[in-house]
Amino acid sequence: MPIIERHGRAKGMGSDMAETLEKLFDEEEIREAVKRLASAISTDFGGEEIVLVSVLKGSFMFTSDLAREMKGRVIIDFIRASSYGCNTTTQGTVTLTKDLETDIAGKNVVIVEDIIDSGLTLRSIREMLLARNPRSLKICALVDKRARRQVEIEGDYVGFSIEDGFIVGYGIDYAERYRNLSAIFVVQGK
Ligand code: IMP
Ligand code: MG
């Protein structure tokens, strides 16, 4: 476990994990944001059934908390889009490496994503899911990073908006690390 120091910094263990993390959103702020999002989604759909499409891996923790805060009937399924790997810059094309098991035709679908950055991932996912004729398709993103947007895409439900910065924690990784942290941190110098 990384050591979280009093002033909000977390240091990775071992000499190969030299990143310094600065706390950006704590557990309480995240809980409040998730509650707000769940309540907005539940209100918008009334009593109708909702399919939450969780985009692995980054949104697993977010999806789990969001689903628990939602009222009414909720179906949860997962997709995995080809990702950054260990790099922190995006590539243009996105493929699904794990598809849904649920038929979303005629269903109310909410894509649950950790971060919108360039927007390329969500644009591709949205197009792929729209082709399956859902009744409605919305986007719920925990963090909207605005500075590097390349395509016009907006989250319908957004937890936090930030300009830029590489973040980790609460499911979000840097080279597969730090997903287990329960707060969100900025990786210094990235
Ligand atoms: P986009 O296609 O550029 O919008 O990339 C979105 C995906 O890149 C997110 O779902 C994350 O998986 C990853 N990503 C973007 N920014 C960050 C970050 O700050 N930390 C960790 N992963 C990120
Ligand atoms: Mg992701």
Side-chain angles (χ1 to χ4, degrees), residues 84 90 113-115 117-121 145 165-167 172-173:
Y84 285 1
T90 195
E113 175 65 307
D114 54 355
I115 300 169
D117 188 15
S118 71
L120 291 166
T121 306
K145 281 170 60 172
F166 197 83
I167 58 174
I172 302 164
D173 75 308

Side-chain angles (χ1 to χ4, degrees), residues 70-118:
M70 287 182 56
K71 312 274 180 286
R73 281 179 299 159
V74 173
I75 289 171
I76 302 171
D77 206 343
F78 299 90
I79 55 173
R80 175 109 165 96
S82 57
S83 73
Y84 285 1
C86 289
N87 299 320
T88 55
T89 51
T90 195
Q91 280 122 37
T93 48
V94 171
T95 53
L96 288 190
T97 57
K98 188 228 170 289
D99 204 342
L100 290 175
E101 292 163 14
T102 309
D103 179 5
I104 58 166
K107 302 268 172 70
N108 296 308
V109 175
V110 177
I111 303 171
V112 182
E113 175 65 307
D114 54 355
I115 300 169
I116 316 177
D117 188 15
S118 71

Side-chain angles (χ1 to χ4, degrees), residues 29-53:
E29 289 170 297
I30 295 172
R31 200 174 306 121
E32 277 167 20
V34 170
K35 274 191 180 172
R36 173 170 53 78
L37 295 173
S39 138
I41 295 170
S42 299
T43 304
D44 284 359
F45 288 96
E48 291 174 26
E49 186 173 79
I50 298 166
V51 182
L52 293 182
V53 172

